[in-house]
Amino acid sequence: MSVTEKKRTSVLDPALLQAITKAFSQPNVVTSSPSDQLAKLSVNTPTTASSSIEQIPHLSPQTTTEAKRSAVTEQTPLLILNQEFQLPTHTPRRSNNFLKGCKWSPDGLCLLTNSDDHQLRVFEIPCDRLPSNEDINAVLHLKEPELIYDFQWYPYMDSNQSDTCFSCRDNPVHLFDAYTGEVRASYKAFNHLEELVAAHSLGFELQSCRLYCGYDRTIRAFDIQRPGPCVTQWNTCDRTNDIHQSGIISCLSFNSQIPGMYAAGSYAKTIGIYGDMNGELIAVLHGHTGGITHIQFSADGNRLYSGARKDGMILCWDMRNLGETLVTFQREVNTNQRIYFDVDPSSMTLVTGNSNGRILGWDINDSSTPVLDFLAHNDCTNGISIHPKRPLFATSSGQRRFAGDIRVTVSEDEDEDNLFAELNVVIYLLVAIFGVSGAFQKPASNLQRLTPNVHTKDVGLDLCPTCIDEAVEAINVILNVILDEGIVENCEKLCDIVANKTKSELIGTICNLACDAVGIDEFIRLIISVDLDPIWYCEMARLCEINDHGDATFTHFGVYPNTGPQGTTFVIDCSFKSLNGTGTSMLRIDIVDSHNETNGNDFLVEAKKPGTYPERIALKTLSAWNCDPSTGFCDDFPVGTYNVTAQFCNGECGSHHPHSGTYDVGKASFTVTKKK
């Protein structure tokens, strides 16, 4: 029986399961938290050669295979850290060291790595000065006497409370100050013989201020503020129950949307779904062919992703219908090593490392063709971590090898260098362009819709973007009808003529709705005075949502990297948050060069519920502004410093009509240098 055919779950408590399923059915309101701002991006080659700036939506289901393949490209590292890890070994046949993962701190100031030399290293990364050619040394080394099983940042860590937590073999769990190296707390667990046992996995549950740790067939909970023994523990393999989970608990993940729900992966190839803080087991999921090494809930809590050792599948489980998988992603995992993956904040893209050193990324709804596929390392890419506030991600590499197993990666003459497998930490710019808009020009002939988040539904009608797309043509046709036919007596007659001239019943219907909203006389006056903007036109037609009490603020507006040679893809980070939601809005980007010439474009942002939204625009500097190489030779993109201004407006920017105004303004700059 194949993996997809066999039954993947049995439910312990149907009533509890039904309650949780009902909770997932309720509409969610996204709230801001330290991890809400994850910026997941990747580089692609634009399908329109003349495009200098592209919008960044995800690949729609209708996108062709050829279009998806155009998004697959190479990446240029912004920073490589390797000197810190090249240390001598006392074991002749083994490589000197290898990395086991890397994780950004929640405030984005530090990067934490785990390696086989039993050390955690903390790096302070100058994200505002990338790319960089310097090899940065660790600011702190946390040395343990034995193998480190797992390591985690305290989720609300900031520079004033820089905690990190990890578990070491034959030792208690330690909570360290990540700047001074001071041990803040130790959490000890004992078996039935009163012997100290080590945790294999860690997870923070902040609502109850507890640290959960996975052991052999046991999960223990510790009070974070009271070091010492656990406050409670649960046997996951109670055979008196109809359902149980055996094996070592290898990884933990908490659902941010359902208090009390968490998942526990086991080396016995199962995933347990627990329904509350008392260890009540809801279901056990079967499907992997190897021991589970990594699990992660999506930001909206509706999906659970899982990966295993010696198992090339990443399974996406539907938490609203436990036991069913939504999609399967294929990667290369041919060892017992833990290979991490990560999901972007909008829950739209999954990115993973591979045993062959490649980075793969998919649209979460389509596993057929990766939208991201490039070689990150010459050895196993085991770690990947997305920066919480900037469009960056870090990868780590390496695996345990013996001298006879080392793969020659550069030259057969470099015997000494090739005795050791590649191990380093690489930081990349993630420029996730999962779709391409038209050329970035000013003024724009139409507005282009920004992709909504998966985990929050847009407010308003689906006809809003269609109405705005058709509005410019409709207004021009209506003006011509008025000039040709004279004053028309009512809205119905006027819009029937418009529908006949455009051969579009939709344009006629929208015309009728907008005209009826203000009356025929006022409508004609607005048309003749050329005083209609597309958003207000569609708001009058009641096809676009109005919110006069909305707000929006840029969370960390900037351009990344801030310097790069011609050909660099720059990312304009326009991520924003809203406390009261927004009306139908516009994002206007203006870029001014050293000669005071302005280029830009306008982007439609449909009405949003309160929450945090990642929005980014990519600037490709391959050729001069608005140049189409297919029509002839194009000059290189001009070198110099460019000033970027972004306006987030309710309604159309600059409009004096009702329901219009400016939410926020962001300013930044970047420099284009001569290509080498």
Side-chain angles (χ1 to χ4, degrees):
M1 183 178 293
S2 68
V3 172
T4 57
E5 291 173 341
K6 64 184 178 181
K7 184 174 179 63
R8 301 196 175 186
T9 183
S10 56
V11 178
L12 175 63
D13 189 340
L16 181 58
L17 178 58
Q18 183 179 6
I20 292 174
T21 304
K22 181 178 179 181
F24 275 115
S25 303
Q26 303 300 321
N28 290 330
V29 175
V30 179
T31 56
S32 179
S33 73
S35 61
D36 279 343
Q37 319 297 330
L38 290 178
K40 174 63 194 73
L41 301 166
S42 61
V43 177
N44 87 309
T45 303
T47 57
T48 304
S50 62
S51 296
S52 291
I53 290 190
E54 293 110 8
Q55 180 187 344
I56 310 178
H58 73 294
L59 282 175
S60 63
Q62 293 79 20
T63 306
T64 62
T65 302
E66 290 73 20
K68 293 178 187 177
R69 286 174 181 167
S70 69
V72 179
T73 186
E74 295 183 354
Q75 276 269 30
T76 301
L78 298 180
L79 180 65
I80 300 177
L81 309 175
N82 56 18
Q83 180 180 351
E84 184 72 38
F85 305 103
Q86 302 293 341
L87 302 176
T89 180
H90 300 291
T91 308
R93 297 194 62 213
R94 279 185 53 186
S95 62
N96 57 346
N97 196 12
F98 66 91
L99 282 152
K100 295 183 175 182
C102 58
K103 297 180 181 180
W104 286 105
S105 62
D107 66 356
L109 298 178
C110 301
L111 185 69
L112 180 65
T113 66
N114 179 22
S115 52
D116 193 48
D117 57 0
H118 309 158
Q119 288 194 60
L120 293 179
R121 293 172 173 85
V122 179
F123 296 86
E124 290 185 350
I125 306 298
C127 296
D128 56 342
R129 298 196 302 273
L130 296 175
S132 174
N133 294 324
E134 60 179 317
D135 193 341
I136 300 173
N137 292 322
V139 297
L140 182 67
H141 296 76
L142 302 175
K143 177 69 175 177
E144 282 293 303
E146 294 291 342
L147 176 71
I148 297 173
Y149 286 132
D150 197 7
F151 63 110
Q152 297 284 349
W153 286 102
Y154 180 67
Y156 289 162
M157 173 267 183
D158 57 34
S159 298
N160 298 320
Q161 190 176 2
S162 49
D163 295 340
T164 181
C165 192
F166 63 88
S167 173
C168 174
R169 182 170 61 191
D170 298 331
N171 281 268
V173 176
H174 291 148
L175 183 69
F176 278 86
D177 186 303
Y179 284 147
T180 66
E182 176 187 356
V183 178
R184 290 187 174 224
S186 294
Y187 306 97
K188 301 178 181 180
F190 299 91
N191 61 16
H192 63 288
L193 298 176
E194 294 299 317
E195 298 171 333
L196 184 69
V197 291
H200 290 264
S201 56
L202 308 171
F204 285 97
E205 203 294 308
L206 296 178
Q207 290 186 335
S208 60
C209 293
R210 289 183 174 183
L211 170 66
Y212 280 67
C213 300
Y215 298 83
D216 184 8
R217 294 170 293 180
T218 304
I219 296 175
R220 293 180 170 91
F222 299 86
D223 189 326
I224 298 175
Q225 300 177 353
R226 297 178 61 186
C230 65
V231 294
T232 186
Q233 67 180 43
W234 308 280
N235 181 6
T236 65
C237 192
D238 184 358
R239 299 187 182 277
T240 61
N241 292 327
D242 295 333
I243 183 172
H244 55 269
Q245 184 181 19
S246 61
I248 295 173
I249 303 302
S250 56
C251 46
L252 295 166
S253 181
F254 288 84
N255 192 313
S256 61
Q257 300 298 316
I258 303 295
M261 172 179 276
Y262 64 97
S266 166
Y267 284 136
K269 309 176 185 179
T270 62
I271 301 169
I273 305 298
Y274 294 83
D276 58 23
M277 293 304 147
N278 295 319
E280 187 169 5
L281 187 60
I282 303 173
V284 174
L285 308 179
H286 301 266
H288 283 286
T289 60
I292 311 300
T293 55
H294 186 46
I295 53 178
Q296 182 176 344
F297 278 104
S298 61
D300 60 4
N302 291 335
R303 304 182 184 213
L304 174 68
Y305 299 90
S306 61
R309 57 189 183 186
K310 287 190 176 181
D311 185 344
M313 297 185 297
I314 296 178
L315 298 180
C316 175
W317 303 90
D318 187 352
M319 298 307 296
R320 295 158 297 187
N321 188 13
L322 282 174
E324 295 298 323
T325 55
L326 296 173
V327 66
T328 300
F329 305 93
Q330 293 293 334
R331 60 177 180 171
E332 182 176 324
V333 179
N334 49 32
T335 68
N336 288 325
Q337 189 172 12
R338 189 192 305 263
I339 295 183
Y340 289 91
F341 56 82
D342 210 347
V343 181
D344 79 303
S346 62
S347 300
M348 293 167 60
T349 310
L350 180 142
V351 182
T352 180
N354 285 264
S355 294
N356 58 13
R358 302 194 71 83
I359 293 292
L360 295 176
W362 296 271
D363 184 307
I364 62 166
N365 296 310
D366 184 5
S367 62
S368 60
T369 305
V371 295
L372 179 65
D373 184 356
F374 70 93
L375 183 65
H377 300 274
N378 287 326
D379 203 349
C380 172
T381 301
N382 53 46
I384 182 166
S385 180
I386 300 166
H387 196 282
K389 298 181 179 179
R390 305 210 180 197
L392 304 170
F393 76 105
T395 64
S396 62
S397 68
Q399 59 186 309
R400 178 169 288 113
R401 292 181 180 272
F402 294 89
D405 298 330
I406 297 303
R407 174 164 52 103
V408 176
T409 58
V410 181
S411 169
E412 293 183 359
D413 297 330
E414 300 176 358
D415 294 333
E416 183 176 352
D417 291 339
N418 285 303
L419 177 62
F420 307 112
E422 177 189 304
L423 67 156
N424 53 32
V425 173
V426 180
I427 296 179
Y428 291 96
L429 174 69
L430 265 67
V431 191
I433 308 170
F434 298 122
V436 180
S437 71
F440 192 11
Q441 300 176 350
K442 180 81 174 171
S445 60
N446 55 43
L447 295 173
Q448 298 171 331
R449 183 180 184 181
L450 288 177
T451 303
N453 287 339
V454 168
H455 58 285
T456 55
K457 295 181 179 179
D458 287 335
V459 181
L461 302 174
D462 291 335
L463 282 176
C464 180
T466 303
C467 176
I468 292 176
D469 286 342
E470 303 289 348
V472 175
E473 180 185 357
I475 293 171
N476 289 331
V477 171
I478 295 169
L479 178 60
N480 290 331
V481 169
I482 294 172
L483 295 176
D484 293 340
E485 303 289 336
I487 301 300
V488 184
E489 58 188 26
N490 57 55
C491 291
E492 183 178 2
K493 183 176 179 180
L494 171 64
C495 295
D496 283 345
I497 298 173
V498 171
N500 290 331
K501 283 186 174 291
T502 59
K503 295 181 173 57
S504 171
E505 185 178 345
L506 175 62
I507 290 180
T509 301
I510 295 173
C511 169
N512 235 324
L513 292 170
C515 182
D516 287 341
V518 296
I520 183 65
D521 293 336
E522 176 66 10
F523 189 67
I524 290 176
R525 187 193 69 79
L526 292 170
I527 292 291
I528 292 176
S529 62
V530 196
D531 197 29
L532 277 179
D533 68 64
I535 292 181
W536 190 51
Y537 175 82
C538 295
E539 287 176 340
M540 286 195 305
R542 299 178 182 177
L543 296 178
C544 289
E545 185 75 13
I546 297 173
N547 183 352
D548 291 331
H549 304 288
D551 68 284
T553 305
F554 292 123
T555 53
H556 38 78
F557 183 81
V559 182
Y560 308 99
N562 54 18
T563 302
Q566 292 166 317
T568 299
T569 298
F570 293 89
V571 177
I572 305 170
D573 192 342
C574 304
S575 300
F576 66 94
K577 65 180 178 180
S578 175
L579 299 179
N580 302 308
T582 70
T584 305
S585 311
M586 173 187 285
L587 175 63
R588 171 166 288 174
I589 305 291
D590 288 323
I591 300 180
V592 182
D593 62 19
S594 56
H595 302 292
N596 256 354
E597 295 183 2
T598 301
N599 288 274
N601 203 1
D602 299 330
F603 297 87
L604 170 67
V605 184
E606 290 187 77
K608 300 290 185 183
K609 293 181 178 181
T612 302
Y613 300 90
E615 300 290 2
R616 296 171 187 86
I617 310 297
L619 167 63
K620 198 80 170 178
T621 60
L622 277 176
S623 57
W625 294 102
N626 305 327
C627 178
D628 185 356
S630 63
T631 62
F633 177 76
C634 285
D635 293 331
D636 291 334
F637 195 92
V639 300
T641 298
Y642 293 80
N643 294 315
V644 181
T645 301
Q647 297 182 66
F648 202 141
C649 308
N650 184 23
E652 183 173 298
C653 293
S655 175
H656 62 274
H657 290 302
H659 323 302
S660 301
T662 301
Y663 285 141
D664 198 8
V665 176
K667 294 186 177 182
S669 63
F670 65 94
T671 301
V672 179
T673 59
K674 190 72 176 176
K675 63 181 178 182
K676 298 180 181 179

